[in-house]
Amino acid sequence: QVQVRESGGGSVQAGGFLRLSCVVPGYSNCRNDMHWYRQGPGKEREFVSGIDRDGTTTYADSVKGRFTISQDNGKNTVTLQMNTLKPEDTAMYYCRATLGAYAWCPTGNYWGQGTQVTVSS
């Protein structure tokens, strides 16, 4: 089974920071790209940020200048540094791994179960 594991969520005050991490144990070499999505109460799931194997990053307009996505040298862990958090950032954050880099890899998109981020005023 492919498991996508997120961590780092929590509760902070507005202006604070959190660092989210995502790993896909045993399939790091299979990763084509990784994306973070979030879904707030009563809202649709939306794209937050992504990074591909070469390190190219993308961000939603709502988080540009505040969030930074990165990966370690071995591409084992993808992190999302979230600074200057706002109440509207409150959501369940999901990591999506796109696998299939090599012929022996499983292919497709795999989702984690999410990690909750709550930002209070």
Side-chain angles (χ1 to χ4, degrees):
Q1 293 182 342
V2 176
Q3 293 182 313
V4 180
R5 299 176 180 176
E6 309 107 326
S7 62
S11 298
V12 298
Q13 292 184 325
F17 61 90
L18 287 170
R19 185 179 178 90
L20 306 184
S21 297
C22 182
V23 296
V24 187
Y27 297 97
S28 295
N29 291 333
C30 293
R31 179 174 61 82
N32 282 325
D33 48 69
M34 300 277 276
H35 301 269
W36 285 97
Y37 289 77
R38 67 186 182 187
Q39 187 168 16
K43 299 179 180 179
E44 295 183 352
R45 187 172 297 186
E46 64 176 351
F47 170 79
V48 176
S49 184
I51 187 168
D52 67 13
R53 290 179 61 86
D54 295 328
T56 301
T57 60
T58 55
Y59 298 94
D61 289 340
S62 59
V63 305
K64 287 181 179 178
R66 299 188 298 119
F67 292 8
T68 303
I69 192 169
S70 62
Q71 60 192 354
D72 63 7
N73 292 333
K75 300 179 175 63
N76 295 308
T77 304
V78 170
T79 63
L80 184 68
Q81 182 67 45
M82 309 163 65
N83 297 327
T84 319
L85 284 163
K86 304 175 180 180
E88 50 263 45
D89 294 319
T90 296
M92 184 72 73
Y93 284 71
Y94 298 92
C95 180
R96 188 191 75 181
T98 302
L99 306 184
Y102 300 97
W104 57 85
C105 293
T107 59
N109 295 322
Y110 298 85
W111 292 85
Q113 294 185 356
T115 184
Q116 179 66 40
V117 172
T118 302
V119 185
S120 60
S121 300

